[in-house]
Amino acid sequence: MNLLELNGVTKRFGGITACKEISFGIAPGQIMGLIGPNGAGKTTAFNLITGVYDLTGGTILLEGKPIQGARPDEIVQWGVARTFQNIRLFRNLSVLDNVCIAADLHETYSLSAALLRLPQVSRRERAIREQAMEYLAAVGLEERAALRADSLPYGLQRKLEIARALALKPRLLLLDEPAAGMNPEESLDLARLIRRIHEEYQLTTLLIEHHMDVVMALCEKIFVMNFGVRLAEGTAEEIQTNPDVLKAYLGEGYKRAGN
Amino acid sequence: MLDYISGVITFSLIYVIATVGLAIFTGFTGLFSLGHAAFFAIGAYTAAILTYFYDVNFWLALAAGGAMSGLVGFIIGYPTLKAKLRSDYFAIATLGFGEAIRVLLENLDITQGARGLPGIAAETTLPVTLAVAVLTIWVARNFVSSRQGRAAIAVREDFVAAEMMGIDLFAVRLRSLIFSAVCGGVAGGLFAHYVAFIQPSMFTAYLSTQLTAGVVAGGMGSITGPVLAAVIFVALPEMLRVANIWRLVAYGLLLVGIMIFRPQGLFGYQEITWRSCRNFWKRLTGSRAEPAKGGQG
Amino acid sequence: MFLQTLLTGVAIGGIYALMAVGYSLVFSILNFSNFAYGSIIMLGAYVGYYSMVQAGLPVILAIAFSIVGAAVLCYINERLAYSPLRKRKASSLYFMISAMGTSIFLENLVYATIGARFYSFPEVLTQQNLEFMGTSIGVLDVFAIVFSAVAIYALHFFLQNSKTGIAIRAASYDMEVCALNGVNITVLIGWVFILAGALAGISGMFLGMKYMVYPTMGWITNKAYIAAVIGGLGSLPGAVVGGLILGVLETFVSAYVSSVVRDVFSFSLLVVLLMVMPTGLFGKYLEEKV
């Protein structure tokens, strides 16, 4: 069974159809790429999956369970984590606190325990901090735990977002243009990071990206959107040689893998 | 003289309790309310009616006042927060709520309308208020340094991102509202048994303003900051014999001034701890220290 | 009785409409509820009152002065209390606190300096009534309705036909794009507040003449918020319609139910509408900028 499945997903905003009859599936453990020109509906698809927007039509299944219409925070609790195209860190909080807020999801204690500061609270708080530091270490940010999130350089902010998403212990990770604004060297570094956490945490990943080197290096399967509809679907090889994709997005002069 | 000082301190502590509640609501969860005086009033009247007409034990009446306020907070909060009103309309709705409470208090028989309730037992003493205030501050600080407190801060900072962290916005906001309502109610009960006579006209926007000013001046994101600000706002005008009206002029100017020049308030997002005092001193004397905010270190 | 209540409702509705338009003007451009608007209305009334009673000016000039005075004050309010926040891209919480602070400052400044006395205008137009189909309506009310209609139409004309007006309408759709097209946003916002202030001045004068002038008269602006929601947030015609509907509904509630619950009714209507039909009649429910 696919971990994530979209069936005929459609989203209309008044007169504009942002997504029309989008269907695809991601098998557990796969890394899939979602590519296409700007305005193709990719981030809308993310917003639909994460419950930020309501569907106009179709269904979204998470391990067979329909999640459309659920609240965003419920969907996160069921195991979906995302990063944002324009970073949404808690800018004024510390790097560590950003991750702790995510780690809070799984380390629970009741409100009354919190208000009375029962012993278990101190223990759990320590556990939360340790967990958070582990995730920071996974992305290489453990040295900067006490700094303000917005004092980090751009590339590190993106990594912090990823660490934060990891701390939610998701089954499905949605990355929205994680390499945006990075130079080629940083992008490849990021690709390595994503590959590493994919292996380490067994994370099924859906990736929106415009940096084709990152996409082609990482993704086993690619879904191409254009003007809200499916343009093509297949492996990296297939997509790079698909004439429609070349015409609409990659460009006929696109250097194919292996050439 | 000692009596006078003790009175001022008692009065300040009553405001501290209500201000701490509002600090959790506005300072930590980021919701703006224009009608918090209503919770104060509900607590005051509930407690007073219980002790005056029904001879209920003072502490029970106090708790009942807090509980009643909390209940009303729930009733008001449920529809308005569920509807995800944008924050200015939420504020306007709280204004309407305050108005509704006022109308209620002026027209119910048991509250004796605009004439008010005289002759309430003067049970509120300095030790009593101190105990309640310390308890409130302790609970508030526990809240702030817990995962629930972090969730509230996340909601204030960026509620879209907070939802993406699995935080239930509605539950967090409602919880903060109820907590602030209970604090306001308890403070109101203490108030009623201190001034021994209450009437609806005592619970006006003036009170809501003073509480809000305390939170803003003290620092949104701090508990100890608003505590100190609340004390200053009661004690200072008292000592300077400033008339109520000019106090309000000052509060208004203070609110705007802080927003423009120092939005983090007097004490910023830090709690007043030994460490922060040392940091402050270090910064004053030129050494480097740039800790992140959040009240958790 | 019915017709009388209706006419009274329309009269007060006209003033609500005026306030609602002024409020909506700012709201539709900046996505922000100016809680200090009421105090501007109040100051407009005081300016008008002093012009007429102290300086002995004729009504028309007093109205002119209140328009100008309120416009200037509204502009200054924006410059001092809101501009810095906008430059910092502060969140709406900060704007609300600043607006509230301004309102409290102004109201109580008037309390502290001029005093809490309620002032009433000399009986220029207040006492005469027109007989109309078995009901009577005050000349003042008629004048208010006519003046409001003229003011709103003038605003409409300005927004449709002048360069600044068109820029304002463009900005209400997308401020950034507007700026990219060469519009000086700071100047534009200044104009918006001047216009809103002018409307506030007129509202203040008529409110003062119909009722009385006192420091907290600005609280009636709450009705403007409600009227704007009824008509639809972000819609100026909606504000007019909303104001009239609110005025009429309220007056009926006051006449047939009880005047005590009038305000509770209005606020409850607000909450219910926001839960059930937040776009109101004509509007687009603007999402809060995050």
Side-chain angles (χ1 to χ4, degrees):
Chain A
M1 172 169 46
N2 280 332
L3 183 64
L4 179 72
E5 207 166 289
L6 271 68
N7 292 317
V9 165
T10 306
K11 176 63 184 170
R12 264 190 293 277
F13 292 103
I16 300 176
T17 306
C19 286
K20 188 163 166 180
E21 298 288 325
I22 298 294
S23 303
F24 62 76
I26 314 181
Q30 246 185 354
I31 301 185
M32 178 160 144
L34 186 59
I35 68 175
N38 274 319
K42 311 184 298 293
T43 301
T44 307
F46 265 28
N47 286 334
L48 290 168
I49 297 170
T50 52
V52 174
Y53 296 153
D54 288 323
L55 291 177
T56 316
T59 60
I60 301 180
L61 303 174
L62 185 68
E63 254 178 359
K65 173 177 164 178
I67 61 174
Q68 72 274 2
R71 281 196 327 256
D73 55 281
E74 288 176 323
I75 295 176
V76 171
Q77 284 162 26
W78 293 333
V80 178
R82 81 171 284 179
T83 63
F84 290 89
Q85 194 173 5
N86 35 341
I87 307 175
R88 291 198 94 120
L89 291 172
F90 299 115
R91 296 194 326 254
N92 291 310
L93 302 185
S94 71
V95 166
L96 184 64
D97 276 337
N98 267 272
V99 184
C100 282
I101 288 173
D104 283 339
L105 184 63
H106 291 283
E107 200 61 61
T108 56
Y109 49 81
S110 70
L111 179 64
S112 14
L115 293 180
L116 298 174
R117 201 77 186 174
L118 298 179
Q120 55 165 300
V121 172
S122 313
R123 258 181 296 132
R124 296 274 170 79
E125 282 291 310
R126 257 198 316 276
I128 291 173
R129 268 183 170 56
E130 278 163 20
Q131 281 267 289
M133 285 302 286
E134 268 173 41
Y135 288 113
L136 285 178
V139 300
L141 281 173
E142 70 275 22
E143 302 280 299
R144 305 189 196 222
L147 297 181
R148 277 172 64 114
D150 62 358
S151 69
L152 292 182
Y154 183 78
L156 294 184
Q157 284 189 20
R158 286 236 170 255
K159 285 190 172 174
L160 177 56
E161 259 215 316
I162 292 176
R164 203 173 59 159
L166 286 179
L168 294 170
K169 295 197 171 58
R171 294 181 284 167
L172 173 66
L173 181 61
L174 303 175
L175 299 172
D176 197 344
E177 298 195 39
M182 290 186 179
N183 62 41
E185 199 181 299
E186 289 171 323
S187 322
L188 283 177
D189 188 40
L190 181 79
R192 272 194 293 269
L193 174 64
I194 295 175
R195 158 100 33 227
R196 188 160 47 82
I197 61 182
H198 169 250
E199 277 161 16
E200 207 175 305
Y201 296 97
Q202 298 290 303
L203 275 181
T204 312
T205 309
L206 179 60
L207 174 70
I208 294 180
E209 214 7 282
H210 286 292
H211 280 80
M212 281 305 119
D213 35 0
V214 174
V215 175
M216 299 307 171
L218 285 176
C219 301
E220 301 153 31
K221 203 164 102 168
I222 298 177
F223 188 86
V224 188
M225 281 177 76
N226 194 17
F227 293 120
V229 299
R230 172 190 179 286
L231 183 63
E233 195 176 344
T235 65
E237 284 277 314
E238 292 164 0
I239 294 300
Q240 282 170 91
T241 52
N242 182 316
D244 292 326
V245 177
L246 290 177
K247 189 162 166 203
Y249 183 49
L250 294 176
E252 257 112 27
Y254 182 73
K255 189 178 79 181
R256 295 111 189 243
N259 276 20
Chain B
M1 181 58 175
L2 204 62
D3 255 352
Y4 174 70
I5 293 182
S6 149
V8 170
I9 298 180
T10 308
F11 211 64
S12 324
L13 289 174
I14 292 175
Y15 278 90
V16 162
I17 295 165
T19 306
V20 166
L22 194 61
I24 295 289
F25 187 63
T26 299
F28 282 92
T29 317
L31 292 165
F32 191 59
S33 159
L34 292 170
H36 254 70
F39 295 122
F40 202 78
I42 292 170
Y45 268 92
T46 307
I49 288 171
L50 285 174
T51 56
Y52 187 73
F53 289 114
Y54 300 102
D55 278 325
V56 172
N57 166 269
F58 169 67
W59 290 98
L60 279 181
L62 206 59
M68 189 60 160
S69 284
L71 181 65
V72 174
F74 176 79
I75 295 172
I76 299 299
Y78 198 93
T80 49
L81 290 172
K82 199 69 164 170
K84 291 180 153 226
L85 300 183
R86 38 179 297 148
S87 57
D88 48 2
Y89 273 87
F90 178 79
I92 294 169
T94 62
L95 195 66
F97 156 64
E99 176 66 13
I101 295 295
R102 190 188 60 79
V103 166
L104 207 66
L105 290 176
E106 278 178 358
N107 289 286
L108 281 181
D109 279 330
I110 196 158
T111 59
Q112 298 191 167
R115 291 191 333 268
L117 282 176
I120 307 170
E123 297 262 15
T124 305
T125 59
L126 182 53
V128 166
T129 345
L130 193 59
V132 177
V134 166
L135 180 67
T136 310
I137 295 174
W138 181 70
V139 169
R141 293 209 60 174
N142 289 343
F143 175 76
V144 163
S145 58
S146 71
R147 58 185 283 275
Q148 288 85 352
R150 276 195 293 272
I153 294 172
V155 168
R156 177 196 70 202
E157 286 290 302
D158 185 342
F159 66 84
V160 174
E163 259 194 317
M164 287 299 135
M165 297 287 108
I167 294 173
D168 181 351
L169 297 183
F170 170 69
V172 165
R173 287 173 170 155
L174 188 61
R175 206 159 49 197
S176 294
L177 175 56
I178 294 176
F179 181 81
S180 67
V182 169
C183 286
V186 168
L190 287 169
F191 175 79
H193 292 83
Y194 182 72
V195 295
F197 165 59
I198 54 175
Q199 55 181 169
S201 60
M202 289 174 160
F203 306 103
T204 57
Y206 163 41
L207 176 59
S208 295
T209 304
Q210 187 172 345
L211 295 175
T212 305
V215 173
V216 171
M220 296 193 280
S222 164
I223 294 289
T224 41
V227 165
L228 195 55
V231 172
I232 293 176
F233 283 169
V234 172
L236 199 61
E238 208 35 57
M239 294 192 298
L240 298 180
R241 303 286 156 133
V242 176
N244 273 357
I245 298 304
W246 286 106
R247 247 186 260 203
L248 278 173
V249 176
Y251 288 151
L253 208 55
L254 186 69
L255 285 175
V256 179
I258 290 180
M259 285 300 102
I260 307 293
F261 298 113
R262 200 184 154 86
Q264 69 270 36
L266 295 172
F267 301 104
Y269 305 106
Q270 314 279 357
E271 300 292 357
I272 303 169
T273 58
W274 288 121
R275 181 155 45 108
S276 68
C277 288
R278 271 207 323 265
N279 280 343
F280 180 67
W281 180 249
K282 277 194 205 150
R283 234 172 310 158
L284 216 54
T285 55
S287 10
R288 315 240 288 114
E290 186 53 77
K293 91 163 174 181
Q296 305 201 356
Chain C
M1 169 79 162
F2 178 86
L3 197 57
Q4 179 69 72
T5 315
L6 184 63
L7 278 179
T8 313
V10 169
I12 190 65
I15 298 184
Y16 285 173
L18 209 54
M19 297 191 301
V21 170
Y23 161 76
S24 283
L25 199 55
V26 171
F27 185 89
S28 62
I29 308 294
L30 295 176
N31 202 2
F32 148 64
S33 291
N34 183 7
F35 287 155
Y37 196 55
S39 49
I40 304 293
I41 292 177
M42 178 265 293
L43 289 174
Y46 271 90
V47 168
Y49 177 78
Y50 274 95
S51 312
M52 212 164 128
V53 174
Q54 303 288 36
L57 298 173
V59 179
I60 284 297
L61 271 189
I63 294 179
F65 266 101
S66 85
I67 291 177
V68 170
V72 168
L73 287 166
C74 202
Y75 177 79
I76 295 176
N77 176 25
E78 196 278 324
R79 278 296 104 137
L80 292 180
Y82 308 142
S83 257
L85 297 179
R86 209 169 9 89
K87 293 204 174 77
R88 271 199 340 239
K89 297 202 200 313
S91 74
S92 35
L93 178 61
Y94 293 96
F95 280 92
M96 283 196 288
I97 294 175
S98 189
M100 211 59 222
T102 308
S103 158
I104 289 162
F105 170 68
L106 290 174
E107 266 174 29
N108 288 285
L109 192 62
V110 169
Y111 248 132
T113 51
I114 300 174
R117 240 194 82 189
F118 282 45
Y119 294 108
S120 53
F121 277 86
E123 285 149 21
V124 178
L125 304 163
T126 42
Q127 289 303 82
Q128 299 152 268
N129 285 335
L130 284 182
E131 297 304 314
F132 174 72
M133 285 214 269
T135 63
S136 74
I137 180 166
V139 168
L140 178 65
D141 289 333
V142 173
F143 197 59
I145 295 174
V146 169
F147 209 100
S148 306
V150 169
I152 292 172
Y153 184 74
L155 178 70
H156 175 79
F157 189 81
F158 177 77
L159 289 176
Q160 296 293 116
N161 296 312
S162 78
K163 210 163 127 196
T164 310
I166 295 173
I168 290 175
R169 278 171 42 230
S172 80
Y173 284 98
D174 192 329
M175 191 133 77
E176 264 179 57
V177 169
C178 204
L180 288 174
N181 276 318
V183 173
N184 184 330
I185 290 296
T186 312
V187 168
L188 185 82
I189 293 178
W191 268 108
V192 170
F193 274 83
I194 287 175
L195 288 172
L199 290 170
I202 303 175
S203 313
M205 270 303 279
F206 282 112
L207 278 174
M209 287 200 284
K210 186 173 169 70
Y211 302 114
M212 306 200 94
V213 177
Y214 53 97
T216 49
M217 64 188 286
W219 284 93
I220 197 164
T221 330
N222 297 327
K223 304 303 169 69
Y225 311 143
I226 303 174
V229 169
I230 295 175
L233 288 172
S235 158
L236 292 185
V240 176
V241 171
L244 290 169
I245 292 178
L246 182 65
V248 170
L249 279 178
E250 257 196 7
T251 314
F252 270 93
V253 166
S254 192
Y256 288 93
V257 181
S258 139
S259 62
V260 168
V261 293
R262 186 195 59 194
D263 289 348
V264 178
F265 163 75
S266 300
F267 277 107
S268 312
L269 182 65
L270 172 74
V271 175
V272 168
L273 272 179
L274 284 172
M275 294 199 295
V276 166
M277 194 172 70
T279 49
L281 292 170
F282 303 111
K284 34 191 197 310
Y285 184 72
L286 298 172
E287 281 306 317
E288 200 155 4
K289 61 172 193 290
V290 179

